[in-house]
């Protein structure tokens, strides 16, 4: 720090300042902090530009890579191939661990290929309209409330030079990210979801990555395994009930700064005819879901479970409409999730 | 913030920034800067945020060790529970296995329909799988060490068996919510992480007694 101040003093010397040395140093130190703020905003602009480039890169680049994903419990490896063919985005996501499974996309068509007897997660709700690897949100303006985005140090991932972006939360109600983007293409090479203390809760990292002309058309063809079943998926929303059927709308009366509602619907509870109110909130980066289900008997208990960055907190709340089980699930700290769960109220009442 | 800073100096100061934040500054000088900064709320805020960023940058791994340690412990416990369960399914209840096999054939005749094929596993420390038809046959659920259930003291304590059923139902519900959350966020945001997560939610699925033979069961298990 002393060196820093001396540097300030030296660089200030040619200017109008000609005060005693100590004062110059103090002024320099003051200016250092001022400059931190100034350089911080320049840095943030540059970092956000990298985020924009990253989003575009996932759609525009041709790439073929393998990545591993650690969710706090399990390590999974997948291969992802993305290629723009005749203006259409074609993709292939291959599970490299366990039972063979592939997900193919050609424009808006999505097909899952797997062995019979393999139980597939119901993907009907989860096929995004963009590519599999569309990273993060485009809602950077909203993100600005909850996060600082700055450049970190340069690094090397999957044998490629990478720039590091730090997405630091501005309060204790959300997690941060350390991202490494390919210096040349801005593709995401490594992502760490980190808690307030900087410890990684979830890690995604590419091990290999081929780009551009190195990505052959044949890389998009699924592996031929005897007996594999192909299931074509459509975007369906069959189990959503009409809002009028229940007439109730639940809302969180307390939310961390920057979070707002992304969607709300009512659907059938798993394995029963009971209606579950489902609310999704996002701050532009993190998201959590709130599930509200009537719990008239003494069936459920308050519970909490955590894995990696994902938390599920259940609270029983007494309302004019009887006892409700409120469950908050998301990539947010447990205390925040509990506070949100306890704040859930009937909107406007009835 | 209001003080104009020429670009040249900004670069030099920026260069020094990492040294300051990495703790290479001596205590006395640091304090002096902070004292100066304290006069300006905005600068204090900037300072604070820079330190938060530097924490994120350094990644103080020590704090995460506890969580990961417990997750590891939960994993090994869970694997044992699954292993013993698999054994009892094939060795002690041949009739139910046969029935299950018939069910499997039926469902294969239908094909793996969406809507009926929903994963029963969760990539959380909570891994409690429950076959809805045979809850009573799953003593492992009651003492599943991976499941971290917090019962508030205000809640009246039900009988032990009831509690075990309740916990199983709770775990199942929580699991369904989790999958739904991941799907929702995958749909809304399409993050590669969400997709990898959907993939991992499938890992460890298939614990229901739907295997045709003990051999197949063992084979499937060994793949995981």
């Amino acid at each position: 720090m002393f060196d820093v101040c001396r540097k300030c003093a030296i660089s200030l010397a040619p200017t109008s300042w000609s005060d005693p040395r100590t004062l110059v140093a103090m002024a320099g130190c003051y200016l250092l902090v001022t400059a931190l703020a100034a350089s911080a905003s320049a840095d943030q602009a540059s970092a956000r530009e990298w985020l924009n480039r990253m989003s575009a890169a996932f759609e525009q680049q041709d790439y073929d890579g393998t990545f591993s994903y650690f969710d706090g419990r399990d390590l999974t490896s997948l291969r992802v191939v993305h290629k723009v063919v005749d203006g259409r985005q074609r993709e292939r996501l291959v599970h490299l661990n366990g039972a063979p499974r592939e997900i193919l996309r050609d424009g808006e068509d999505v097909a899952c290929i797997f062995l019979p007897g393999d139980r597939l997660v119901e993907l009907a709700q989860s096929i995004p309209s963009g590519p599999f690897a569309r990273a993060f949100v485009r809602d950077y303006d909203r993100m600005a409330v909850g996060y600082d985005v700055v450049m970190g140090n340069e690094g090397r991932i999957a044998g490629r030079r990478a720039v590091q972006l730090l997405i630091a939360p501005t309060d204790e109600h959300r997690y941060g990210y350390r991202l490494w983007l390919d210096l040349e293409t801005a593709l995401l090479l490594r992502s760490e979801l980190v808690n307030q203390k900087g410890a990684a809760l979830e890690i995604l990292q590419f091990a290999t990555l081929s780009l551009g002309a190195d990505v052959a058309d044949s890389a998009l063809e699924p592996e031929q395994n005897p007996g594999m079943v192909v299931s074509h998926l459509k975007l369906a929303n069959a189990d959503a009930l009409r809002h009028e059927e229940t007439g109730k709308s639940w809302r969180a009366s307390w939310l961390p700064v920057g979070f707002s509602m992304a969607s709300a619907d009512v659907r059938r509870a798993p394995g029963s005819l009971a209606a579950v109110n489902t609310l999704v909130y996002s701050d532009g980066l993190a998201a959590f879901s709130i599930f509200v289900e009537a719990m008239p008997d003494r069936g459920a208990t308050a519970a909490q479970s955590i894995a990696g960055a994902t938390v599920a907190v259940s609270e029983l709340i007494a309302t004019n409409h009887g006892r409700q089980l409120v469950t908050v699930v998301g990539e947010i700290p447990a205390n925040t999730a509990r506070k949100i769960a306890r704040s859930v109220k009937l909107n406007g009442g009835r | 913030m209001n003080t104009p800073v020429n670009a040249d100096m900004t670069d030099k100061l920026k260069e020094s920034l990492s040294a300051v934040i990495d703790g290479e500054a001596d205590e006395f000088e640091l304090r002096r800067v902070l004292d100066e900064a304290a006069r300006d709320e905005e600068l204090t805020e900037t300072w604070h945020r820079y330190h938060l960023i530097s924490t994120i940058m350094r990644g103080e791994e020590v704090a995460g060790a506890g969580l990961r340690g417990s997750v590891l412990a939960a994993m090994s416990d869970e694997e044992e529970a699954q292993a013993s369960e698999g054994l009892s399914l094939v060795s002690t209840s041949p009739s139910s296995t046969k029935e299950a096999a018939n069910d499997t054939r039926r469902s294969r005749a239908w094909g793996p329909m969406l809507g009926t094929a929903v994963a029963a596993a969760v990539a959380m420390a909570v891994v409690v799988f429950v076959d809805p038809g045979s809850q009573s046959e799953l003593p492992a659920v009651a003492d599943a060490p991976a499941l971290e259930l917090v019962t508030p003291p205000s809640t009246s304590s039900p009988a032990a068996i009831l509690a075990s059923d309740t916990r199983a139902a709770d775990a199942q519900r929580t699991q369904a919510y989790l999958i739904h959350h991941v799907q929702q966020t995958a749909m809304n945001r399409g993050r590669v992480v969400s997709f990898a997560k959907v993939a991992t939610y499938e890992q460890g699925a298939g614990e229901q007694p739907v295997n045709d033979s003990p051999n197949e069961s063992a084979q499937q298990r060994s793949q995981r």
Side-chain angles (χ1 to χ4, degrees), chain B residues 174-209:
Chain B
T174 303
Q175 168 181 309
Y177 287 164
L178 271 163
I179 290 170
H180 186 79
H181 168 73
V182 171
Q183 290 182 344
Q184 279 288 324
T185 49
M187 181 172 67
N188 289 342
R189 302 181 300 157
R191 293 192 303 150
V192 65
V193 172
S194 293
F195 242 88
K197 212 179 235 177
V198 170
T200 48
Y201 278 111
E202 295 176 77
Q203 300 289 324
E207 306 298 344
Q208 286 184 0

Side-chain angles (χ1 to χ4, degrees), chain A residues 1-2 4-5 7-8 11-12 25-26 29-40 43 67 69-74 76 78 93 95 97-99 101 103 114 116-117 119-123 125-128 131-137 148 150 153 164 166 168-170 177-178 188 194-202 204 229 231-233 263 267 270 276 278 280 285-289 291 293 295 298-308 310 312 325 327 329-331, chain B residues 1-6 9-10 12-17 19-20 24-26 29-30 32-33 36-37 39-40 43 46-47 49-50 52-53 55-61 63-64 67-68 71 75 78 82 108 112 114-115 117-120 122-127 147-152 155-156 158-159 162 166-167 170 172-174 176-193 195-203 205-208 210 220 223:
Chain A
M1 174 53 84
F2 188 71
V4 169
C5 290
K7 273 184 204 162
C8 300
S11 62
L12 280 166
M26 285 206 28
C29 287
Y30 180 80
L31 278 184
L32 169 68
V33 179
T34 310
L36 294 192
S39 69
D43 205 29
F67 66 90
Y69 174 62
F70 179 69
D71 66 358
R73 173 184 171 271
D74 203 7
T76 314
L78 298 104
L93 192 71
H95 297 197
N97 297 44
R101 304 183 182 101
I103 303 172
F114 47 94
R119 288 184 303 154
L120 179 77
V121 165
E122 188 182 359
L123 284 170
Q125 290 290 316
S126 65
I127 300 300
F132 296 127
R134 189 178 66 200
F136 298 101
V137 283
D148 286 322
V150 297
N153 302 318
Q164 191 189 39
L166 305 166
T170 52
Y177 282 87
R178 284 190 289 262
L188 180 68
V194 296
N195 67 12
Q196 293 279 326
K197 300 199 161 103
L201 304 177
E202 293 184 1
L204 177 145
V229 176
S231 170
H232 289 271
L233 301 182
S263 72
R267 52 189 64 241
V276 180
T278 306
V280 180
L285 189 56
F288 61 84
S289 301
F291 302 91
E293 187 174 352
M295 199 57 62
R298 56 178 177 176
T301 54
Q304 176 185 321
S305 45
I306 302 172
T310 307
L325 181 73
T327 305
V329 180
E331 291 78 43
Chain B
M1 202 64 162
N2 298 326
T3 316
V5 181
N6 77 49
M9 193 199 307
T10 303
K12 279 183 180 150
L13 295 176
K14 197 172 158 186
E15 212 170 279
S16 316
L17 170 60
V20 176
E24 287 163 18
D26 83 51
E29 292 293 339
L30 187 63
R32 196 150 69 172
V33 174
E36 289 294 317
R39 293 181 199 165
D40 187 324
L43 291 181
T46 304
W47 187 262
R49 281 161 78 157
Y50 259 73
L52 199 50
I53 290 165
T55 309
I56 299 288
M57 193 188 294
R58 280 199 298 273
E60 284 159 12
E61 301 287 344
L67 176 62
R68 260 177 285 175
V71 169
M75 267 175 75
E78 164 223 322
Q82 285 181 1
R108 281 185 188 175
L114 288 170
V118 178
V122 156
M124 295 196 54
V126 190
V127 175
L147 182 64
E148 190 190 335
L149 278 174
V150 184
T151 311
T155 309
S156 61
L162 204 81
T166 301
R167 285 180 180 209
D170 283 353
Q172 203 176 14
R173 186 187 304 106
T174 303
Y177 287 164
L178 271 163
I179 290 170
H180 186 79
H181 168 73
V182 171
Q183 290 182 344
Q184 279 288 324
T185 49
M187 181 172 67
N188 289 342
R189 302 181 300 157
R191 293 192 303 150
V192 65
V193 172
F195 242 88
K197 212 179 235 177
V198 170
T200 48
Y201 278 111
E202 295 176 77
Q203 300 289 324
E207 306 298 344
Q208 286 184 0
V210 291
Q220 287 192 353
Q223 282 182 343

Side-chain angles (χ1 to χ4, degrees), chain A residues 79 92 94-96 100-102 104 113-114 218-226 228 230:
Chain A
R79 176 182 176 189
R92 180 176 168 222
V94 187
H95 297 197
L96 302 176
R101 304 183 182 101
E102 296 196 13
L104 300 175
I113 305 179
F114 47 94
S218 60
L220 289 164
E221 298 305 319
E223 208 173 291
Q224 297 298 322
N225 280 310
M228 292 292 267
V230 180

